[in-house]
Amino acid sequence: MFETGLAIFLGLVFIFIKLNSRTMLRLLRHDMAIDVAVTLLTLAIHWGTFSGVMAATFAGLLTSVGTSLAKKAFGYIEGHHYHPGYIRLDI
């Protein structure tokens, strides 16, 4: 069950890596919406078994930690203003 949650989270990480930096920073502004959407979508997909629900919950937890760390590390874009993180990206 933890492996499935980790696989779901890694899928999201690889999608974020493939995005250009400006799109990623715009999405990180809505980190809470990403966390809720991933959690609800994975819960809906894996509903019906205990291990599926636990995998979805673990994926949601990892997504929440990941988006929070990414927002602190890289910052985010709000409107036309870039709020830099610890690692400044060239955009």
Side-chain angles (χ1 to χ4, degrees):
M1 90 183 102
F2 292 116
E3 295 87 5
T4 306
L6 185 62
I8 294 167
F9 172 69
L10 286 176
L12 183 68
V13 168
F14 291 140
I15 289 171
F16 261 78
I17 289 171
K18 289 179 81 172
L19 294 173
N20 65 29
S21 58
R22 188 175 300 269
T23 304
M24 181 191 69
L25 292 172
R26 288 190 192 282
L27 285 174
L28 282 176
R29 179 177 180 265
H30 306 289
D31 59 335
M32 183 64 77
I34 293 171
D35 298 343
V36 170
V38 167
T39 303
L40 290 177
L41 184 65
T42 55
L43 278 172
I45 290 171
H46 297 288
W47 191 258
T49 63
F50 175 74
S51 61
V53 171
M54 289 304 296
T57 303
F58 190 61
L61 176 68
L62 288 176
T63 302
S64 180
V65 170
T67 55
S68 296
L69 289 175
K71 191 172 185 178
K72 288 184 189 298
F74 303 115
Y76 62 96
I77 293 177
E78 182 175 17
H80 295 292
H81 184 68
Y82 173 47
H83 299 273
Y86 297 121
I87 302 169
R88 193 173 178 99
L89 297 177
D90 293 328
I91 55 171

